[in-house]
Amino acid sequence: SDVASVPFASPTLVFEAKVSRFFNAVDALNAALDVEEQLSSAAFALMILMLLRIIAATAVHPRTGVLTGTLLHGAGDLWHFTILFLIVFSFFAATAVWLFGSSRLDFSSLDVAMYTQFQMLLGNTPANFAEDARMVVYVGLTSLVMFFLMLNFLL
């Protein structure tokens, strides 16, 4: 049963029964949402597998095979770059939380700081960053290391 079918206006049903029906309906709704989330995760995994199959199928063609061969040849280097990038990115985020977490909302927690840093990689600087000398140094070092060095190492 759904939440809307609970007869709250019924004078013959006691309040405890109404509450019980309501929470049973909420439990059924939560169970349906859990199933939907599991199906969505399975569909995502299937889409990733289909993408990998398409990439593998393009290896047969002489011209697109060069691209997939390049990806396979560079996979180890890309993996090591990803590990190094994540370590340095996490270090800068943790440093930002430690330095600015108590005074700035855009660095209030580790996940928020990582989002702010990602925005910095895209070219968006934090609001009013020039007002604090430590923030200017942080933004400068993060830009220098993450963008100019790390991303250019990849290229």
Short mmCIF file of all heavy atoms in Angstrom, two decimals, residues 3-15 17-19 21-22:
data_model
loop_
_atom_site.label_atom_id
_atom_site.label_comp_id
_atom_site.label_asym_id
_atom_site.label_seq_id
_atom_site.Cartn_x
_atom_site.Cartn_y
_atom_site.Cartn_z
N VAL A 3 1.53 5.51 0.82
CA VAL A 3 1.35 6.44 1.93
C VAL A 3 0.04 7.20 1.78
O VAL A 3 -0.63 7.49 2.77
CB VAL A 3 2.56 7.41 2.01
CG1 VAL A 3 2.38 8.45 3.07
CG2 VAL A 3 3.84 6.63 2.25
N ALA A 4 -0.34 7.51 0.56
CA ALA A 4 -1.56 8.28 0.33
C ALA A 4 -2.83 7.51 0.68
O ALA A 4 -3.89 8.10 0.89
CB ALA A 4 -1.62 8.75 -1.11
N SER A 5 -2.74 6.18 0.76
CA SER A 5 -3.95 5.39 1.05
C SER A 5 -4.21 5.22 2.55
O SER A 5 -5.20 4.60 2.91
CB SER A 5 -3.83 4.02 0.39
OG SER A 5 -2.81 3.26 1.03
N VAL A 6 -3.37 5.77 3.38
CA VAL A 6 -3.59 5.67 4.83
C VAL A 6 -4.79 6.56 5.18
O VAL A 6 -4.78 7.76 4.89
CB VAL A 6 -2.33 6.11 5.61
CG1 VAL A 6 -2.60 6.08 7.11
CG2 VAL A 6 -1.14 5.23 5.26
N PRO A 7 -5.81 5.99 5.81
CA PRO A 7 -7.04 6.77 6.09
C PRO A 7 -6.90 7.63 7.35
O PRO A 7 -7.46 7.33 8.40
CB PRO A 7 -8.11 5.69 6.26
CG PRO A 7 -7.34 4.52 6.79
CD PRO A 7 -5.98 4.59 6.15
N PHE A 8 -6.20 8.74 7.20
CA PHE A 8 -5.98 9.61 8.36
C PHE A 8 -7.28 10.26 8.83
O PHE A 8 -7.43 10.55 10.01
CB PHE A 8 -4.95 10.70 8.02
CG PHE A 8 -3.54 10.19 7.95
CD1 PHE A 8 -2.88 10.10 6.74
CD2 PHE A 8 -2.89 9.79 9.09
CE1 PHE A 8 -1.60 9.62 6.67
CE2 PHE A 8 -1.59 9.31 9.04
CZ PHE A 8 -0.94 9.23 7.82
N ALA A 9 -8.21 10.50 7.93
CA ALA A 9 -9.46 11.18 8.29
C ALA A 9 -10.52 10.23 8.83
O ALA A 9 -11.59 10.66 9.25
CB ALA A 9 -10.00 11.92 7.07
N SER A 10 -10.24 8.94 8.85
CA SER A 10 -11.24 7.97 9.28
C SER A 10 -11.46 8.07 10.79
O SER A 10 -10.53 7.91 11.58
CB SER A 10 -10.77 6.56 8.93
OG SER A 10 -11.63 5.60 9.51
N PRO A 11 -12.72 8.28 11.22
CA PRO A 11 -12.99 8.36 12.67
C PRO A 11 -13.06 6.98 13.33
O PRO A 11 -12.98 6.88 14.55
CB PRO A 11 -14.34 9.07 12.73
CG PRO A 11 -15.00 8.77 11.43
CD PRO A 11 -13.90 8.61 10.43
N THR A 12 -13.19 5.92 12.54
CA THR A 12 -13.33 4.59 13.12
C THR A 12 -11.99 3.92 13.40
O THR A 12 -11.93 2.99 14.20
CB THR A 12 -14.13 3.68 12.17
OG1 THR A 12 -13.46 3.61 10.92
CG2 THR A 12 -15.54 4.24 11.98
N LEU A 13 -10.93 4.40 12.77
CA LEU A 13 -9.61 3.79 12.94
C LEU A 13 -8.85 4.54 14.03
O LEU A 13 -8.79 5.77 14.03
CB LEU A 13 -8.84 3.86 11.61
CG LEU A 13 -7.64 2.94 11.45
CD1 LEU A 13 -8.05 1.48 11.61
CD2 LEU A 13 -7.02 3.15 10.08
N VAL A 14 -8.29 3.78 14.97
CA VAL A 14 -7.55 4.42 16.07
C VAL A 14 -6.23 4.99 15.55
O VAL A 14 -5.71 4.57 14.52
CB VAL A 14 -7.29 3.43 17.23
CG1 VAL A 14 -8.60 3.01 17.87
CG2 VAL A 14 -6.50 2.26 16.78
N PHE A 15 -5.72 5.97 16.28
CA PHE A 15 -4.52 6.68 15.85
C PHE A 15 -3.32 5.74 15.69
O PHE A 15 -2.55 5.86 14.75
CB PHE A 15 -4.19 7.80 16.85
CG PHE A 15 -2.96 8.57 16.50
CD1 PHE A 15 -2.97 9.46 15.44
CD2 PHE A 15 -1.79 8.39 17.21
CE1 PHE A 15 -1.83 10.16 15.10
CE2 PHE A 15 -0.64 9.09 16.88
CZ PHE A 15 -0.67 9.97 15.82
N ALA A 17 -3.22 2.64 14.84
CA ALA A 17 -3.36 1.86 13.60
C ALA A 17 -3.02 2.72 12.39
O ALA A 17 -2.38 2.24 11.44
CB ALA A 17 -4.79 1.32 13.48
N LYS A 18 -3.41 4.00 12.41
CA LYS A 18 -3.06 4.91 11.32
C LYS A 18 -1.54 5.08 11.23
O LYS A 18 -0.96 5.03 10.14
CB LYS A 18 -3.72 6.27 11.53
CG LYS A 18 -5.22 6.24 11.42
CD LYS A 18 -5.80 7.61 11.75
CE LYS A 18 -7.32 7.56 11.83
NZ LYS A 18 -7.87 8.86 12.19
N VAL A 19 -0.92 5.26 12.38
CA VAL A 19 0.54 5.42 12.41
C VAL A 19 1.22 4.15 11.94
O VAL A 19 2.20 4.18 11.18
CB VAL A 19 1.01 5.83 13.83
CG1 VAL A 19 2.52 5.77 13.95
CG2 VAL A 19 0.51 7.22 14.17
N ARG A 21 0.01 1.84 9.88
CA ARG A 21 -0.16 1.74 8.43
C ARG A 21 0.77 2.70 7.69
O ARG A 21 1.34 2.37 6.66
CB ARG A 21 -1.61 2.04 8.04
CG ARG A 21 -2.56 0.91 8.31
CD ARG A 21 -3.90 1.23 7.70
NE ARG A 21 -4.87 0.20 8.01
CZ ARG A 21 -6.12 0.21 7.60
NH1 ARG A 21 -6.55 1.22 6.85
NH2 ARG A 21 -6.94 -0.75 7.91
N PHE A 22 0.89 3.92 8.24
CA PHE A 22 1.76 4.91 7.62
C PHE A 22 3.20 4.41 7.57
O PHE A 22 3.86 4.46 6.53
CB PHE A 22 1.67 6.24 8.38
CG PHE A 22 2.65 7.27 7.91
CD1 PHE A 22 2.42 7.96 6.74
CD2 PHE A 22 3.81 7.53 8.63
CE1 PHE A 22 3.34 8.91 6.30
CE2 PHE A 22 4.72 8.47 8.20
CZ PHE A 22 4.49 9.16 7.02
#
